[in-house]
Amino acid sequence: MMPSNFFTDWAFMIPFFITACFSLGVYLLLTAGSGDVLWFWSGQEILVGLFVAVVVGWVARGFFCDSRRRAALNPKRWLRAVGYVCGPFFIELAKANVDVAYRVITGRIRPGIVRVKSGMETDLGVLMLANSITLTPGTLTVDINEDTNDLYVHVINVSDDVAARDALEAHEIFSTFDCPSWIRRIAE
Amino acid sequence: MNIWFFTVGVMAFLMLLAMIRLFKGPTAADRVVALDAVNTLVVASMIVLAAAFKQVIFVDVAIVYALLSYVGTLYIAKYLGGEL
Amino acid sequence: MSLLLFIWHALMWLFIAIGLFFNSLGVFGILRFPDVYTRLHADTKATTFGTIFTSLAVVIYGLGHWLKTADGQYGSLVLHTLIAVVVLAITNATGAHAIARAALRRGHQPARAVVNKLEDSTS
């Protein structure tokens, strides 16, 4: 489906360009050290990378790039994402594993499914929150209500007051850091 | 004994243990969980083998294996959920 | 110099030990827990974390050789291992979510559950 005014059709070109740049970046990261044309790469790798990036950008522009929101392009958010993964997220992940180790060894579990209000508005925010919940202490995202963005979370050890309540707020899932506000600053 | 080959040996043993659940699992979803664990262990041992043989290409294979096994897991999950 | 070498080897052994410990906990959890959802807990968390640590041992190994010999091959070993770890962390979490959703749609109830908000909302 080639649009008639190809190079000025921004609704087509912008997602295409972003996807192509991203895939070219990943390709160059994987082939770093192959030569010395541009410091690290050989000429052939750059040429093949450009070709592959154009093809991938053409094919994947529709589902890689949400056409409305451009906020995720801000480099500050990328830095924040790296900081989030290395800092709060990794500590929560380590605590989750000590918790699971304790449950495996003792076999002491009280499982249950609870409802969590995510408070996110974009799909990317909900995705990041769901993945963070899956990898943090004793919780596993089971289902998403796509109308209200509520998450249904399987918790391996439900306390009594949590079981009595109707819905939790997202930050109550995480014990030490306020991960949802980090995610909100990254993704929305 | 080489530390890397020792690690790979232990992980191969763990894969065998996970396969007990793969064969025994009462429901299909249990089998997918066991398969997922085996896939993760395969990726881990490929990365360790790359250090053992000093071959970077093993890690590239591990990346492709991780992505393909993810697609496989998603496909089986969609099939089990009746969305296919 | 020999002290640095010792620290390098000790770090590798430490990371390998932590990684193998959590990997085996994940596998034992799969064998031990009563239903799909709890098994998924053991699988995603423990196995991913263990794999991150065995890969970190490889990263330490590659970094040490890179600093020693300045051979670009070890640099790309480190870079590719880091990419593999990121890919694995993202795909495992998303795959676990997909399996849990599929099990739910097949009608598996969580065993020994004390509370089930999803059942309350649909029925």
Side-chain angles (χ1 to χ4, degrees), chain B residues 39-58:
Chain B
N39 280 332
T40 314
L41 287 172
V42 167
V43 173
S45 21
M46 275 182 190
I47 292 173
V48 171
L49 279 176
F53 291 115
K54 298 191 170 70
Q55 294 282 329
V56 185
I57 196 84
F58 279 44

Side-chain angles (χ1 to χ4, degrees), chain C residues 46-116:
Chain C
T47 326
T48 309
F49 196 65
T51 306
I52 285 176
F53 267 91
T54 49
S55 307
L56 271 185
V58 176
V59 168
I60 297 272
Y61 169 81
L63 266 183
H65 271 297
W66 195 20
L67 293 178
K68 212 161 68 179
T69 63
D71 186 352
Q73 189 198 346
Y74 292 110
S76 50
L77 178 71
V78 170
L79 192 63
H80 288 210
T81 309
L82 287 177
I83 293 173
V85 166
V86 171
V87 165
L88 201 73
I90 296 172
T91 57
N92 258 351
T94 323
H97 170 61
I99 297 172
R101 193 152 168 266
L104 196 79
R105 299 204 160 203
R106 258 179 106 75
H108 293 299
Q109 293 302 321
R112 293 198 244 148
V114 285
V115 57
N116 191 346

Side-chain angles (χ1 to χ4, degrees), chain A residues 89-170:
Chain A
F89 179 73
F90 194 78
I91 292 171
E92 291 280 346
L93 181 60
K95 280 177 58 189
N97 280 279
V98 174
D99 184 67
V100 165
Y102 171 74
R103 307 274 164 221
V104 170
I105 292 169
T106 60
R108 207 173 288 160
I109 51 174
R110 287 186 78 212
I113 294 181
V114 298
R115 192 152 70 95
V116 174
K117 285 185 186 142
S118 71
M120 299 287 163
E121 275 148 27
T122 58
D123 286 347
L124 182 66
V126 176
L127 172 78
M128 278 188 74
L129 184 69
N131 270 7
S132 302
I133 283 176
T134 298
L135 288 175
T136 47
T139 50
L140 178 77
T141 316
V142 173
D143 207 353
I144 296 175
N145 184 342
E146 284 174 16
D147 299 327
T148 57
N149 281 342
D150 281 354
L151 300 169
Y152 290 96
V153 176
H154 183 271
V155 181
I156 204 168
N157 195 35
V158 189
S159 61
D160 282 327
D161 51 331
V162 168
R165 288 173 55 188
D166 179 47
L168 294 175
E169 296 295 324

Side-chain angles (χ1 to χ4, degrees), chain A residues 16-63:
Chain A
F16 167 73
F17 189 69
I18 293 168
T19 315
C21 280
F22 183 78
S23 57
L24 182 65
V26 173
Y27 189 90
L28 290 182
L29 211 58
L30 277 170
T31 55
S34 60
D36 51 5
V37 174
L38 282 174
W39 302 289
F40 296 118
W41 295 280
S42 62
Q44 293 101 318
E45 293 284 12
I46 294 177
L47 275 181
V48 174
L50 282 172
F51 178 70
V52 171
V54 167
V55 172
V56 170
W58 191 291
V59 173
R61 64 176 196 279
F63 38 82

Side-chain angles (χ1 to χ4, degrees), chain B residues 21 30 36 54 60 77 80, chain C residues 30-31 39 73-74 80 102:
Chain B
R21 179 56 73 195
D30 288 313
D36 204 40
K54 298 191 170 70
D60 298 341
L80 288 181
Chain C
I30 289 175
L31 292 176
R39 277 174 201 149
Q73 189 198 346
Y74 292 110
H80 288 210

